[in-house]
Amino acid sequence: MSTFYWRSASGLRLLIRLFIVSLLLSVLSSAVALYGAYRSEFRHNEALLQQIRSGYLPALAQSVWNFDIPQVESQLAALVQFPYIRAAVLDAGNGEHFSAGQAGNEKPADKVLQERQFDLHYHNGERSILVGSLHLQLDLAAMRQQILAMAPVVLLQHLMTVLLLAVLLSFAVFRWRKRYAGSQLRALTDWAERGDIRALVQLPDDGGGSDELNRIGHTINRLCQQLQQVMAERDDSDRELQQLKNQLEQKVEERTGELNNAILSLNRLLDTLQENQHEQVENEKMAQLGSLVAGVAHELNTPLGICVTARSYIEDSVLLIQQRVKDGSLDKNTFSAQINNISEGLLLIDENLNRSHRLVRTFKSLAVDKESDFRSRFSLEEFLQEFSGNSNDFFVEDNTCRIEYDLSQPFILNTCRQTLGLVVGALIGNSLDHGYPEGGDIYIQMHAYVDVSENLLTLIYKDDGVGISNEVREHIFDPFFTTGRNRGKTGLGMHLAYNLVTRILHGSIEVCERRQGAENQGAEIHLRIPLDLDRYERTAGDQGLKLVINNH
């Protein structure tokens, strides 16, 4: 057991700690002893000074009173023979000084010298007379050197004493460990060296079942048994988990097959729906095309019919003039009247041909071409300023048109500027044509705010006219729908604005519903378009959904 203990790491650590503790205790006890010696020497020095005060100073005062110089010098020389008194200086009070020894020049703060002063009093039986003062310099350095000279001897004595006690204590501990804990430690060490946590600690049967080491061994054995039980339960759980995993994989394969079949069916249904939707869209396109052709024919028929009628009227006037010229019966009044008829007919033809030209140009603008307007970056504030600053361009008869705008913050658009200008112009034109049937000054306000995170610009257009009824609102974007046909309006302005917003600007336009019972509340139209068309197209491309089936 002793061999085992001395070679073990715990034994070496214990020896090293005992040595360190012994050394520290030795140093500490030596320091305490030296400090005690210093205090003892200091007290002895104080007692010596008290002895000088009580027994030596009266004789020195007698010698000074008698002015016995040799006796005074002899007494001062005797004082410096005392331990640690370095110098003695007598001040006789009449300007005379007597000294003995070697007075130092060190400052008191250096703690090398200590000065003491004593007053000399001569007693003549009746009263005490001050005859001078005695100054003594104590050499503390000598006191410290004497104490330090004792330090090695004291340290060695204490070290030997403490080491002897440590050896005796170590021997007692080793004997106790060998007698009471040797077999238990060996059993625990053997178990730790094997490294098999499933094996139990083989504790000796020596009757020490109630000590700490045996309790530790029994606790380790219980933990090992519990660990074995847990590991067995874990193995059972692993087997059950593997079985469940296999069953789950089989169910996943079955569900995957069913899901693939469902996806195939869904794709076929989607293809069918897309075909039906395409067919429905084509039918709607044909219906819209038919309605558009009928509207175009209707709108062009009126001016062209007037042109045909005017041409016939002119032809009749020409034939009448030719007939009168041939008969020689053409007079000035008849000629002037027919010339006026011809001029009126030509004016009708010119006006209606111009109207037909404008209609054709409007029809061409309905064929929205995404390549006809290039994108650019521009300030919305400068863009709206063009309409606000040029409000005189919208002068209607004797009325004025005032256009104002309000922005939540300055921002830059990346879109088709010319197209956006056509849309805003169509809205202003709609207000001028239909919002003020009884005349009056025109006030239009546009407020814009932006949501950068959603890449969305919202432009709110308002006027203070008669507003838009709910019946008109339902059909306002239909082609050729107008309430001013009797004033020559075609009903294509708002339809053009709708096509430009939805197809070119990729936005939406909405006419707000009129409140019940409200009169002359004005029109309110909300226009929402992407702030940046390039970003909108990238986002729309990233959000495209596709169903991909991998049959491999």
Side-chain angles (χ1 to χ4, degrees):
M1 174 62 193
S2 59
T3 302
F4 157 74
Y5 180 77
W6 284 103
R7 292 181 180 180
S8 65
S10 60
L12 291 176
R13 286 196 299 270
L14 181 59
L15 287 178
I16 293 173
R17 290 172 182 174
L18 283 175
F19 177 77
I20 293 174
V21 170
S22 300
L23 183 61
L24 292 177
L25 289 176
S26 301
V27 173
L28 181 62
S29 61
S30 300
V32 172
L34 291 175
Y35 179 74
Y38 175 77
R39 295 298 299 174
S40 176
E41 197 69 22
F42 189 81
R43 286 193 297 271
H44 176 71
N45 191 33
E46 290 292 330
L48 179 62
L49 292 176
Q50 185 64 30
Q51 182 181 355
I52 291 173
R53 180 193 297 272
S54 59
Y56 206 83
L57 292 184
L60 184 59
Q62 179 71 31
S63 299
V64 173
W65 175 260
N66 296 328
F67 206 67
D68 189 355
I69 302 303
Q71 182 65 20
V72 170
E73 292 178 348
S74 174
Q75 289 175 338
L76 292 177
L79 280 175
V80 297
Q81 299 302 320
F82 283 97
Y84 310 127
I85 296 179
R86 185 174 180 177
V89 179
L90 175 64
D91 183 2
N94 55 1
E96 295 187 6
H97 294 81
F98 303 94
S99 62
Q102 298 178 353
N105 297 324
E106 294 82 353
K107 297 180 181 179
D110 297 335
K111 298 183 180 181
V112 176
L113 299 178
Q114 184 180 21
E115 293 186 1
R116 293 292 182 92
Q117 179 181 348
F118 303 95
D119 294 332
L120 299 178
H121 294 272
Y122 173 72
H123 298 275
N124 58 2
E126 297 179 357
R127 59 191 181 91
S128 176
I129 302 173
L130 179 65
V131 296
S133 61
L134 177 64
H135 297 269
L136 298 179
Q137 284 189 353
L138 303 181
D139 192 354
L140 298 181
M143 184 186 301
R144 295 171 185 167
Q145 289 177 357
Q146 182 176 356
I147 297 299
L148 292 176
M150 299 168 52
V153 177
V154 174
L155 180 62
L156 181 61
Q157 291 176 351
H158 284 266
L159 180 62
M160 295 299 296
T161 302
V162 173
L163 286 177
L164 180 60
L165 291 176
V167 169
L168 294 177
L169 179 62
S170 301
F171 180 76
V173 171
F174 295 157
R175 293 292 297 174
W176 175 83
R177 290 170 65 91
K178 181 177 180 181
R179 180 174 181 180
Y180 295 103
S183 58
Q184 289 90 340
L185 285 175
R186 186 180 297 108
L188 292 174
T189 304
D190 293 341
W191 176 82
E193 290 177 350
R194 285 197 302 269
D196 186 7
I197 59 175
R198 298 189 180 187
L200 300 179
V201 179
Q202 303 297 326
L203 295 173
D205 188 12
D206 53 1
S210 60
D211 60 16
E212 290 81 0
L213 293 178
N214 271 333
R215 287 199 294 272
I216 291 174
H218 289 304
T219 302
I220 293 175
N221 287 339
R222 287 195 298 272
L223 291 176
C224 290
Q225 292 173 354
Q226 294 176 3
L227 181 60
Q228 292 175 2
Q229 182 179 0
V230 169
M231 295 179 68
E233 294 176 355
R234 187 195 64 180
D235 293 339
D236 295 338
S237 299
D238 290 341
R239 286 191 296 269
E240 295 178 359
L241 181 61
Q242 186 63 35
Q243 294 177 357
L244 292 176
K245 181 181 178 181
N246 295 334
Q247 295 176 1
L248 181 60
E249 288 178 352
Q250 183 178 359
K251 290 182 178 180
V252 168
E253 291 179 356
E254 295 175 356
R255 296 293 187 272
T256 302
E258 296 176 358
L259 181 60
N260 288 334
N261 295 331
I263 292 177
L264 288 173
S265 301
L266 182 60
N267 282 336
R268 287 193 294 268
L269 178 59
L270 182 61
D271 293 338
T272 303
L273 291 176
Q274 289 177 347
E275 292 177 358
N276 295 335
Q277 184 180 10
H278 180 70
E279 183 179 355
Q280 184 178 1
V281 169
E282 291 298 327
N283 293 335
E284 290 180 357
K285 285 183 178 180
M286 293 301 296
Q288 291 181 359
L289 180 59
S291 176
L292 181 61
V293 170
V296 170
H298 176 73
E299 291 295 329
L300 288 178
N301 183 60
T302 300
L304 292 180
I306 294 175
C307 289
V308 171
T309 302
R311 174 215 172 258
S312 177
Y313 186 65
I314 292 172
E315 183 180 6
D316 292 339
S317 297
V318 171
L319 290 177
L320 180 59
I321 293 174
Q322 289 177 350
Q323 183 66 33
R324 293 293 179 92
V325 170
K326 184 177 179 181
D327 296 340
S329 59
L330 179 64
D331 55 7
K332 182 178 179 180
N333 293 331
T334 302
F335 181 76
S336 298
Q338 296 304 318
I339 290 298
N340 291 333
N341 293 336
I342 292 174
S343 298
E344 292 176 359
L346 290 175
L347 182 61
L348 286 174
I349 291 174
D350 182 65
E351 290 178 354
N352 285 276
L353 286 178
N354 286 332
R355 182 181 177 185
S356 299
H357 175 69
R358 289 194 300 270
L359 287 172
V360 171
R361 186 172 59 185
T362 305
F363 296 151
K364 289 177 63 178
S365 64
L366 293 177
V368 178
D369 185 6
K370 295 183 180 181
E371 305 298 331
S372 60
D373 188 10
F374 61 91
R375 299 174 187 175
S376 62
R377 293 185 177 273
F378 58 92
S379 170
L380 181 62
E381 183 175 7
E382 295 178 359
F383 173 79
L384 295 178
Q385 179 65 33
E386 295 178 1
F387 292 93
S388 177
N390 300 326
S391 59
N392 292 332
D393 294 345
F394 304 103
F395 181 80
V396 181
E397 295 179 356
D398 295 330
N399 305 326
T400 59
C401 177
R402 182 162 59 96
I403 300 176
E404 295 181 356
Y405 64 90
D406 176 29
L407 301 180
S408 60
Q409 64 184 36
F411 43 82
I412 302 299
L413 291 176
N414 178 25
T415 186
C416 301
R417 179 170 184 158
Q418 182 179 357
T419 301
L420 184 58
L422 291 175
V423 173
V424 176
L427 297 181
I428 296 175
N430 183 72
S431 295
L432 298 179
D433 293 339
H434 306 283
Y436 304 87
E438 297 180 1
D441 293 338
I442 301 170
Y443 175 65
I444 296 174
Q445 184 182 19
M446 289 180 284
H447 173 69
Y449 62 90
V450 71
D451 186 351
V452 179
S453 61
E454 297 294 334
N455 189 32
L456 182 65
L457 165 69
T458 301
L459 180 64
I460 301 176
Y461 175 92
K462 293 182 179 180
D463 64 27
D464 61 346
V466 297
I468 302 174
S469 65
N470 293 332
E471 294 78 9
V472 174
R473 186 178 63 87
E474 295 178 358
H475 303 282
I476 192 170
F477 297 121
D478 294 345
F480 305 108
F481 176 80
T482 178
T483 59
R485 194 173 303 278
N486 57 344
R487 291 180 280 115
K489 305 304 178 182
T490 61
L492 294 175
M494 296 300 288
H495 179 66
L496 174 62
Y498 177 82
N499 283 347
L500 293 176
V501 170
T502 57
R503 299 185 183 180
I504 299 297
L505 302 180
H506 297 287
S508 63
I509 183 170
E510 176 188 7
V511 179
C512 293
E513 185 176 359
R514 186 172 186 174
R515 296 190 297 271
Q516 294 293 335
E519 295 294 339
N520 296 335
Q521 62 177 343
E524 181 176 344
I525 301 175
H526 290 191
L527 174 65
R528 297 180 179 87
I529 61 173
L531 185 65
D532 187 338
L533 270 182
D534 295 337
R535 177 184 170 188
Y536 168 80
E537 291 180 350
R538 289 194 302 269
T539 305
D542 294 340
Q543 292 179 349
L545 299 178
K546 296 181 180 179
L547 289 177
V548 180
I549 300 176
N550 186 1
N551 293 323
H552 298 287

